[in-house]
């Protein structure tokens, strides 16, 4: 399968804590993207990290990429109730399509 | 600036009817992707189109499903003779170019087959 596999499937934390989600993939990639989906809505792009990058930041988000392990992680610091959503990684292997895994369902309790 | 517009937001069909889902990409975007999502699951890739061309339809069922993205007008996902198993949320996404850069998603069409 060319899709990423997110881990854990579900994560529940208290507001203010950090949330870490992981993504594994199979073969060499061009880039890897993370998206968020609120219930019943479309996906929203969060961050893109290219294969030659190891770490990227955007606000409270930190993404790392380890191409030797074929894995990526998304860290959300100082979580808020509004961060409650499903998070998907999407490894990009070619120019034709982007495939998503089952996601990590994050619940941030106030 | 309008984002990706999908309509209808909700569509109810009886078994055997046809469903037509529309997607207007972000203005200037010439690449459109369709995905299907079942409850509590991820998005399943269906088809990738550029203007007037189907680039990759490897995720589309061989029968009853078709997609188009004409030179003028929205992209259409058409499902003929719907069955209950077609009930799902269908999402469209667009991008300005290929190369798998950032995708912009619509809010989806929830198809319910009675």
């Amino acid at each position: 399968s060319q899709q990423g596999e997110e881990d854990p499937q579900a994560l529940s934390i208290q507001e203010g804590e950090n949330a870490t989600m992981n993504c594994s993939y199979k073969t060499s990639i061009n880039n890897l993207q993370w998206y968020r989906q609120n219930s019943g809505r479309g996906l929203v792009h969060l961050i893109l990290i290219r294969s030659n990058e190891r770490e990227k930041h955007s606000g409270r988000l930190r993404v790392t990429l380890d191409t030797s392990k074929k894995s990526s992680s998304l860290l959300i610091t100082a979580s808020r109730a509004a961060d409650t959503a499903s998070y998907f990684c999407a490894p990009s292997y070619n120019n034709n399509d982007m495939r998503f895994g089952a996601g990590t369902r994050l619940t941030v309790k106030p | 600036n309008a984002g990706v517009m999908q309509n209808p937001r909700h569509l109810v069909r009886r078994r055997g009817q046809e469903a037509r889902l529309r997607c207007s990409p972000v203005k200037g975007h010439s690449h459109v992707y369709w995905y299907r999502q079942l409850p509590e699951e991820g998005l399943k890739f269906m088809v990738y189109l550029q203007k007037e061309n189907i680039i990759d339809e490897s995720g589309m069922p061989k029968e009853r499903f078709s997609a188009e993205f004409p030179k003028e007008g929205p992209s259409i996902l058409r499902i003929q003779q719907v069955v209950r198993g077609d009930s799902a949320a269908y999402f469209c996404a667009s991008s300005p170019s290929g190369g798998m850069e950032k995708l912009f998603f619509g809010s989806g069409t929830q198809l319910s087959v009675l």
Side-chain angles (χ1 to χ4, degrees):
Chain A
S1 170
Q2 292 185 318
Q3 67 191 41
E5 300 292 337
E6 296 90 350
D7 174 70
Q9 291 185 341
L11 180 61
S12 181
I13 59 174
Q14 293 293 135
E15 204 165 29
E17 294 180 338
N18 295 341
T20 300
M21 289 158 270
N22 303 297
C23 171
S24 60
Y25 56 91
K26 297 293 185 184
T27 60
S28 297
I29 58 172
N30 296 324
N31 65 57
L32 186 143
Q33 301 180 40
W34 284 90
Y35 288 79
R36 183 187 72 220
Q37 183 182 34
N38 290 91
S39 181
R41 306 296 297 272
L43 273 66
V44 174
H45 180 267
L46 295 176
I47 199 164
L48 180 155
I49 187 165
R50 300 190 187 281
S51 59
N52 61 353
E53 298 177 309
R54 292 296 168 259
E55 187 171 313
K56 206 161 183 180
H57 297 253
S58 177
R60 293 183 297 111
L61 305 180
R62 172 179 169 243
V63 168
T64 61
L65 179 64
D66 187 335
T67 53
S68 66
K69 295 181 179 179
K70 293 185 174 54
S71 67
S72 174
S73 67
L74 170 66
L75 169 67
I76 304 174
T77 60
S79 63
R80 306 167 182 169
D83 294 328
T84 294
S86 291
Y87 292 82
F88 297 90
C89 71
S92 174
Y93 301 95
N94 55 41
N95 291 338
N96 283 350
D97 61 62
M98 184 179 297
R99 305 193 181 219
F100 297 86
T104 292
R105 290 187 297 280
L106 173 66
T107 302
V108 181
K109 300 175 183 178
Chain B
N1 287 327
V4 176
M5 302 300 292
Q6 289 188 249
N7 67 81
R9 187 78 173 89
H10 300 277
L11 181 61
V12 179
R13 286 287 178 265
R14 296 190 181 279
R15 282 179 295 172
Q17 291 185 319
E18 178 180 287
R20 292 173 69 90
L21 288 63
R22 296 175 182 77
C23 169
S24 295
V26 173
K27 187 177 181 180
H29 286 192
S30 59
H31 299 250
V32 165
Y33 307 79
W34 285 94
Y35 294 86
R36 178 165 68 178
Q37 186 177 36
L38 296 173
E40 306 301 321
E41 295 187 7
L43 274 69
K44 180 182 176 184
F45 168 79
M46 299 183 73
V47 62
Y48 164 44
L49 310 102
Q50 293 181 29
K51 282 285 187 180
E52 301 184 272
N53 290 303
I54 296 175
I55 305 303
D56 183 349
E57 56 181 348
S58 59
M60 287 267 278
K62 293 287 186 276
E63 298 178 349
R64 302 189 298 108
F65 285 72
S66 63
E68 63 177 8
F69 188 17
K71 185 177 180 180
E72 301 291 338
S75 175
I76 305 290
L77 179 66
R78 182 183 179 203
I79 311 172
Q80 296 178 290
Q81 300 175 334
V82 296
V83 300
R84 286 196 175 142
D86 296 332
S87 296
Y90 292 83
F91 290 95
C92 166
S94 74
S95 72
S97 63
M100 299 320 302
E101 298 296 324
K102 174 181 176 181
L103 293 184
F104 294 77
F105 278 82
S107 295
T109 292
Q110 180 63 52
L111 172 65
S112 297
V113 180
L114 304 179

